[in-house]
Amino acid sequence: MAERLVVIGGVAAGMSAASRARRLRPDIEILVFEKSGFVSYGSCGLPYFVSDIIKAPENLVVYDAKFFKEKRNIDVFTHHEVLKIFPAKRTILVKNLENDREFEVQYDKLVIATGARAVKPNIKDIDLKGIFTIRFLEDGIGIKNFIKENSPKKALIVGAGYIGMEMAESLASLGMDVLIVEQMPNILGTMDDEINEVVEQELQRNGVKLLKSTSVEEFTGENGYVRRAKLSNGEIVDVDLVLIGAGIKPNSEIAKEAGIELGRTGAIAVNQRMETNIPGIYSAGDCAEAFHLVLNRPVYIPLGTTANKQGKVAGENAAGGNAIFKGIVGTAVFKVFDLEVARTGISEKQAKAEGFDYVSTVIEHGSRAHYYPGGSKIRVKLIADRKTGRLLGAEMVGRDGVAKRIDVFATALHAKLTVDEIGQLDLSYAPPFAPVWDPILIAASDLEKKIKK
Ligand code: FAD
């Protein structure tokens, strides 16, 4: 019998693993079990699907189950949930969700790519119609259908993380009044205040109301549909659509039950080969930890970029190869209305909490030559180690040229460059793209001066 690789979960990490394994090993059998009805799609596009920039759900799907069977000889089983893993006998228990039939499947190698799920806070009547989380393609379809059928006018977003921001733009673009409530005193988690204040101004400029240090205490409804939310500040607000963006949790329960070690973050612990503590079982993506190259320890920063890379490494090793995933530096970017917001490495808040001896600077500089149209100011915040001058993190916000500039700092973090070295980088220049002294170089040399003081 041919060797068999089984993959649990068929989105970014799972399908990357299956595809990589197939490329290396045409001879093995590859089976993917996916609970939902879709595989290989970009969840990152969901806010743009809801706002109708992306018209059809199929546009978000890269390849479907038929493609994987016909072109890659990978057997994809949608609507099949894996209930249990039995490492001792190398089998899994699968349930066909269409007919409730359960059966065991043998594997030689297993990749767990079960991703994560949206956290639903414990709020009274959170299950009323019109209250959504956004995680899977089915969630996006549900929200879009609800909007079409009910024409909601007042949207409430619970949680001011990056998904809350993207959805605020999405729902506002559909003509809804949007209120965001955030239980923490600041938006965007560990991002620093100098960046957040620009984001808050952008929300205000676009008519989005934000209440910080505020949570929802209960929802009330009429005929099963959400109508009002009672807030912790005593206010009762009218709502007809609620989006919960209160974070996500790794789907690591079936792994834990099978004796697979979880890390301190609650996600599956893996080494650089994406191996778990049980031989022959790998894990990748939003259900697993990743090693942070600045913090020097495993962290849980679930992103599509990491899921694809980890999946590829898990698939290669499960197929008998020898690939390594060195780690991440926590690079992320999002758009809210006309702003691009990006970060990499650690923020000042994190540097303080982690006990780093650091120096920081904030500068503003044009994105293009001052005489060339279309440019605007970029705000850059840099954090470096006081003694060595090594970059620890960067955050940027602006209307033009932020998203890809952050990648210079991400690369610098991977290369462990000092701010002095960053200030000397031979970066590109022509008036339509950058000023002769790019904001990256200005920020680095400003921080260098502070370090030398
Ligand atoms: P998932 O996408 O969660 O897929 C896991 C799959 O496993 C799911 O389909 C699930 O149904 C299935 N599954 C779980 N348990 C079982 C089981 N027991 N049996 C069978 N199947 C199971 N990342 C970025 O890098 N940039 C972005 O701009 C960005 N934007 C985003 C916007 C939104 C709205 C969302 C929701 C996410 C965004 N992300 C972004 C994050 C990115 O989408 C995820 O990191 C990525 O999808 C993770 O892929 P994954 O395969 O690890 O997990």
Side-chain angles (χ1 to χ4, degrees):
M1 231 174 68
E3 191 179 319
R4 180 183 285 169
L5 166 65
V6 169
V7 178
I8 315 176
V11 189
M15 293 323 297
S16 298
S19 299
R20 183 67 187 156
R22 170 56 75 224
R23 209 157 291 142
L24 297 174
R25 294 284 303 276
D27 57 309
I28 63 174
E29 217 186 327
I30 304 178
L31 273 55
V32 179
F33 293 100
E34 166 57 51
K35 195 160 75 165
S36 75
F38 296 94
V39 291
S40 188
Y41 62 86
S43 347
C44 315
L46 287 173
Y48 311 104
F49 169 65
V50 171
S51 64
D52 219 31
I53 293 177
I54 317 284
K55 298 287 174 206
E58 303 81 58
N59 299 143
L60 291 178
V61 176
V62 187
Y63 299 122
D64 59 10
K66 189 164 165 269
F67 170 92
F68 282 106
K69 180 64 195 164
E70 287 173 2
K71 301 280 182 215
R72 301 207 175 147
N73 189 24
I74 294 170
D75 289 299
V76 176
F77 299 86
T78 52
H79 299 298
H80 280 69
E81 180 174 4
V82 175
L83 303 176
K84 275 190 166 45
I85 303 168
F86 303 108
K89 49 179 179 167
R90 291 199 174 219
T91 65
I92 54 169
L93 178 66
V94 184
K95 182 176 185 174
N96 179 340
L97 300 174
E98 279 167 351
N99 60 16
D100 284 346
R101 203 170 61 84
E102 291 182 14
F103 56 97
E104 270 188 50
V105 175
Q106 176 274 327
Y107 66 81
D108 296 294
K109 298 281 171 55
L110 182 69
V111 175
I112 305 173
T114 45
R117 61 183 178 277
V119 171
K120 255 191 169 183
N122 192 12
I123 303 172
K124 188 172 168 278
D125 283 337
I126 198 164
D127 291 321
L128 283 166
K129 281 186 204 144
I131 304 180
F132 298 91
T133 53
I134 187 157
R135 175 72 203 170
F136 305 113
L137 192 45
E138 273 108 340
D139 298 332
I141 295 170
I143 297 171
K144 201 162 178 165
N145 287 342
F146 181 86
I147 293 172
K148 250 189 225 150
E149 287 158 18
N150 299 280
S151 309
K153 300 274 178 295
K154 291 184 181 302
L156 170 67
I157 295 178
V158 181
Y162 81 93
I163 291 180
M165 296 294 147
E166 290 180 344
M167 287 307 296
E169 178 190 330
S170 170
L171 299 179
S173 78
L174 295 171
M176 288 178 226
D177 287 342
V178 181
L179 164 67
I180 306 178
V181 295
E182 167 57 59
Q183 64 176 3
M184 301 299 285
N186 62 279
I187 62 169
L188 296 173
T190 55
M191 291 276 281
D192 287 326
D193 296 346
E194 296 90 338
I195 305 298
N196 290 350
E197 66 187 31
V198 183
V199 177
E200 287 185 30
Q201 284 160 12
E202 184 69 0
L203 292 174
Q204 205 178 13
R205 208 175 67 87
N206 286 280
V208 172
K209 204 172 153 199
L210 169 70
L211 292 173
K212 294 183 283 186
S213 304
T214 307
S215 52
V216 178
E217 290 188 338
E218 64 176 66
F219 292 110
T220 48
E222 280 164 20
N223 305 322
Y225 286 82
V226 67
R227 285 291 169 256
R228 274 170 293 282
K230 185 175 171 214
L231 309 183
S232 57
N233 63 3
E235 260 185 84
I236 294 176
V237 290
D238 290 339
V239 292
D240 41 21
L241 189 152
V242 178
L243 195 282
I244 309 280
I248 60 169
K249 255 185 110 156
N251 288 324
S252 51
E253 289 80 2
I254 56 166
K256 187 178 176 203
E257 261 176 51
I260 293 167
E261 263 171 31
L262 306 187
R264 275 180 28 207
T265 66
I268 299 171
V270 284
N271 63 17
Q272 286 194 325
R273 288 172 44 81
M274 306 316 298
E275 289 165 328
T276 68
N277 61 311
I278 298 189
I281 302 185
Y282 302 77
S283 183
D286 282 12
C287 57
E289 292 186 329
F291 192 80
H292 199 292
L293 297 166
V294 178
L295 293 172
N296 254 321
R297 60 173 158 80
V299 292
Y300 185 59
I301 304 182
L303 283 170
T305 45
T306 307
N308 277 288
K309 293 188 198 95
Q310 287 187 329
K312 189 174 164 206
V313 168
E316 176 151 352
N317 292 332
N322 193 14
I324 294 283
F325 179 65
K326 282 196 183 145
I328 59 166
V329 291
T331 312
V333 63
F334 70 89
K335 174 179 172 293
V336 56
F337 297 101
D338 292 332
L339 273 190
E340 300 172 22
V341 190
R343 66 171 298 172
T344 187
I346 57 170
S347 63
E348 181 169 3
K349 266 189 205 137
Q350 287 173 298
K352 207 176 272 173
E354 298 275 340
F356 279 90
D357 183 13
Y358 68 90
V359 198
S360 71
T361 194
V362 180
I363 65 108
E364 277 192 0
H365 200 64
S367 62
R368 306 180 189 190
H370 69 277
Y371 49 82
Y372 195 88
S376 61
K377 285 243 155 67
I378 296 181
R379 186 176 285 190
V380 184
K381 176 160 185 177
L382 289 190
I383 298 109
D385 185 272
R386 187 188 299 277
K387 280 194 199 76
T388 62
R390 190 185 139 191
L391 183 72
L392 296 174
E395 294 158 277
M396 291 169 102
V397 63
R399 293 174 196 281
D400 180 50
V402 164
K404 285 292 127 183
R405 273 191 176 95
I406 200 73
D407 292 343
V408 172
F409 290 122
T411 310
L413 286 171
H414 275 275
K416 302 191 188 320
L417 297 188
T418 63
V419 286
D420 181 32
E421 287 166 326
I422 296 167
Q424 295 188 40
L425 289 174
D426 180 15
L427 302 182
S428 65
Y429 159 66
F433 309 113
V436 69
W437 285 99
D438 193 274
I440 293 171
L441 303 176
I442 300 271
S445 62
D446 194 64
L447 191 51
E448 169 67 4
K449 273 185 234 147
K450 285 194 176 169
I451 289 169
K452 281 190 174 149
K453 250 189 199 166

